[in-house]
Amino acid sequence: MVPQDFSRVGSTQANRVLASLEISECVGNEVDPIVVSSSTPASQGFDFSEYANENAGTRDLLKHHQVELIKFGVEFGRDVFTMYDLHEHRNPYPIVHAGQEYHGGLDGGIAPHGLSKSSAANQLRVAYEHKQSNDQKQRYSDQYGDLTEGQISAGALTDSGGEKGQSVIATLGAYAYNAWPLLLDLTDGQVHHLIMIRNDELIFWDNLTPQQAYVKQSEMLNSSATLMDRKLKMTSISEDLQQPLKKLRKLQGDSALLEQLNGIVPNLPCEERLAASYEIISAWAHLQPCHIDDSSTCAT
């Protein structure tokens, strides 16, 4: 089956994946409301309408996230956190579910300082997915001319919203590879929607103000010095935090094998495809761990 990009996954499809994984959706604003006190620092939104598209504005929006989080006591720099721009880091989270392979990544995120982009993608504490709203696109178009069509906006997390489907499947993909159960922020710079998974529940907070969003993100980032460890292993965090990561590790499936097959075999002459497929599968099989019991053995 042809791999499906995260951005092509709709809300209905994402909900089916969650249901088959026995992960329930919970409304964060109901089960864990974000409390903002009178002493909480004020936060500014970001004007995404000044950019032709999401890629053009992502670097500046990531810088904006960092500036806002510093107000809430989050530290960036050596031995603490770095904001990583990952929007050009292609397909860090290939996953397979029910025979369908999904490809994609995230626009950026916060991870310990000193990592390469590929390693940072697996050590994210907070991640970002940026989507211009329809209103922002229209304002840019009114001021500078027509935009390229086909972009998806943030807006409210509605049942039919493609942005929710993309964000849910991206969260599942990130959890399948990350060492920490990250918090994802889907935002247009003004409105924020947060997603995280705890135990068997996917919790989402929709239509948050910048202040509410950065309060929640800073709470996570400041919760433990362990989060600044760039060599953090899943097995070194508490069992309750490990649970969703372990559950979703199985989504890695044989995606590396499928990626090889999809990337190599279709480009070969027809008469060479079977032999090449066998060679790739054979090499993969020899790299897999052997599980030996009394009734079976592994060939050597």
Side-chain angles (χ1 to χ4, degrees):
M1 190 174 289
V2 177
Q4 185 174 2
D5 192 87
F6 289 171
S7 63
R8 302 287 184 179
V9 177
S11 178
T12 299
Q13 185 177 359
N15 288 339
R16 288 173 181 160
V17 173
L18 289 176
S20 67
L21 292 169
E22 298 184 336
I23 296 176
S24 301
E25 290 187 70
C26 294
V27 180
N29 297 331
E30 296 291 336
V31 301
D32 186 17
I34 298 170
V35 178
V36 176
S37 68
S38 59
S39 61
T40 301
S43 293
Q44 301 298 316
F46 178 84
D47 189 1
F48 222 168
S49 68
E50 289 296 314
Y51 299 86
N53 54 52
E54 290 145 6
N55 285 342
T58 278
R59 183 168 296 180
D60 285 346
L61 183 44
L62 290 173
K63 291 177 181 177
H64 175 81
H65 297 319
Q66 178 170 324
V67 168
E68 293 302 309
L69 286 168
I70 289 172
K71 297 178 183 177
F72 294 87
V74 179
E75 297 183 63
F76 292 87
R78 189 177 183 86
D79 297 326
V80 281
F81 293 118
T82 290
M83 182 71 73
Y84 292 87
D85 182 352
L86 303 174
H87 81 278
E88 293 184 345
H89 183 45
R90 301 301 181 190
N91 192 30
Y93 310 127
I95 56 175
V96 180
H97 180 265
Q100 175 65 58
E101 185 174 6
Y102 300 94
H103 281 182
L106 296 162
D107 285 324
I110 299 169
H113 179 76
L115 295 169
S116 66
K117 287 188 177 182
S118 59
S119 292
N122 294 331
Q123 286 284 357
L124 293 175
R125 312 306 188 231
V126 173
Y128 297 99
E129 186 64 29
H130 298 154
K131 295 294 176 187
Q132 285 178 315
S133 69
N134 289 330
D135 180 62
Q136 289 169 337
K137 291 186 211 177
Q138 187 60 53
R139 292 207 308 272
Y140 182 90
S141 180
D142 291 343
Q143 185 171 358
Y144 301 107
D146 290 338
L147 279 171
T148 301
E149 296 180 356
Q151 297 184 64
I152 302 172
S153 61
L157 288 175
T158 61
D159 288 340
S160 60
E163 67 284 343
K164 179 184 177 184
Q166 176 181 354
S167 297
V168 168
I169 210 74
T171 300
L172 297 177
Y175 273 58
Y177 289 87
N178 258 262
W180 177 264
L182 59 83
L183 177 67
L184 184 141
D185 182 4
L186 165 66
T187 184
D188 63 5
Q190 300 290 335
V191 181
H192 296 253
H193 315 297
L194 303 183
I195 301 176
M196 72 176 184
I197 303 174
R198 291 294 182 268
N199 298 314
D200 290 320
E201 295 181 337
L202 181 142
I203 308 169
F204 67 88
W205 293 262
D206 65 339
N207 298 313
L208 300 177
T209 65
Q211 187 184 44
Q212 289 174 307
Y214 295 126
V215 163
K216 188 66 177 178
Q217 293 171 37
S218 64
E219 283 178 356
M220 173 181 284
L221 293 167
N222 292 329
S223 64
S224 172
T226 301
L227 296 181
M228 301 174 191
D229 181 3
R230 63 176 176 267
K231 296 181 288 185
L232 182 68
K233 305 293 184 186
M234 179 185 69
T235 52
S236 65
I237 65 178
S238 63
E239 186 62 33
D240 62 319
L241 294 176
Q242 287 186 42
Q243 196 270 345
L245 302 177
K246 287 180 176 178
K247 184 184 186 78
L248 296 173
R249 283 296 192 264
K250 65 183 180 182
L251 293 182
Q252 291 185 18
D254 305 332
S255 55
L257 171 62
L258 288 172
E259 195 165 357
Q260 272 193 296
L261 291 170
N262 288 328
I264 297 174
V265 175
N267 299 319
L268 297 175
C270 291
E271 64 273 13
E272 297 179 18
R273 292 180 181 180
L274 183 60
S277 297
Y278 176 81
E279 183 176 348
I280 292 170
I281 294 170
S282 178
W284 169 86
H286 282 291
L287 292 174
Q288 303 311 300
C290 294
H291 302 285
I292 303 174
D293 56 30
D294 293 337
S295 60
S296 64
T297 60
C298 283
T300 57

